[in-house]
Amino acid sequence: MTATITPLSATALRAHRDELAALLRDVVGGGSSLGFLAGLGHEEAAAWWDSLLPAVEEGSLALWASRGDDGRIDGTVSWYRESKPNGRHRAELRKLMVHPAARGRGTARALLAEAERAAARAGVVLLFLDTETGSGAEHVYRSAGWTEAGTIPDYATDPAGRLRPTTLFYKHPQE
């Protein structure tokens, strides 16, 4: 399978809100730590996507979706550009998520590569992120050339509510 990656405008985000909410619920339900707890409801997931609309509209949040062979959204990634005057050169990579049924097909790598290319085109010279230590995502970032900056113990809870450490990574997207 070859992932088809497209940017999501505010209009597309509105149009695909329910599909994106279902994706988020399935990813969290599959155990991925994305800032939500198990039992995430559709309305809460949809409201989270709605909360991104202002940032997408103003251009501070760039968002992409991956579509599988069936045409359904099976993954997303975004980055948020820092607005402080001393940090406009950097962006935080957020919410790389791939549906559990679509994992192992290169979707995460394709999303990550597109976000990195777009960052470089936008003049971002530093990307950074955090991910649950020991997660499958940690392996994806390492193998994609991201550099570990450190680990913070007891940073967040996983979807089951257990405290987990997080690992911080960074990358210069021009490299």
Side-chain angles (χ1 to χ4, degrees), residues 2-172:
T2 302
T4 302
I5 311 296
T6 57
L8 287 182
S9 64
T11 301
L13 180 53
R14 281 185 195 90
H16 299 288
R17 171 188 189 253
D18 288 331
E19 188 177 3
L20 291 162
L23 170 68
L24 179 59
R25 289 185 62 217
D26 289 346
V27 172
V28 171
S32 293
S33 179
L34 292 168
F36 300 94
L37 297 176
L40 176 66
H42 180 80
E43 288 308 313
E44 182 183 356
W48 180 79
W49 286 106
D50 288 343
S51 75
L52 302 180
L53 282 166
V56 172
E57 287 172 333
E58 74 180 29
S60 60
L61 181 72
L63 176 63
W64 295 267
S66 170
R67 293 187 181 279
D69 293 334
D70 62 0
R72 296 185 50 82
I73 295 174
D74 61 6
T76 66
V77 69
S78 63
W79 52 255
Y80 176 78
R81 191 143 190 189
E82 177 59 57
S83 63
K84 294 176 187 149
N86 71 340
R88 292 185 184 137
H89 65 284
R90 70 177 183 254
E92 179 182 4
L93 192 87
R94 295 180 176 177
K95 304 290 190 266
L96 173 61
M97 65 176 98
V98 175
H99 192 279
R103 293 186 183 152
R105 300 178 187 168
T107 303
R109 284 190 193 285
L111 285 161
L112 190 55
E114 182 58 31
E116 291 172 11
R117 284 190 297 270
R121 287 191 303 269
V124 172
V125 299
L126 179 68
L127 286 168
F128 66 96
L129 63 87
D130 69 88
T131 192
E132 184 179 330
T133 303
S135 68
E138 191 177 29
H139 170 74
V140 170
Y141 298 126
R142 277 197 177 93
S143 64
W146 286 68
T147 302
E148 182 177 336
T151 300
I152 303 171
D154 300 334
Y155 183 78
T157 62
D158 63 14
R162 295 180 300 257
L163 284 173
R164 299 284 299 141
T166 195
T167 302
L168 305 173
F169 286 91
Y170 69 91
K171 187 172 188 180
H172 295 95

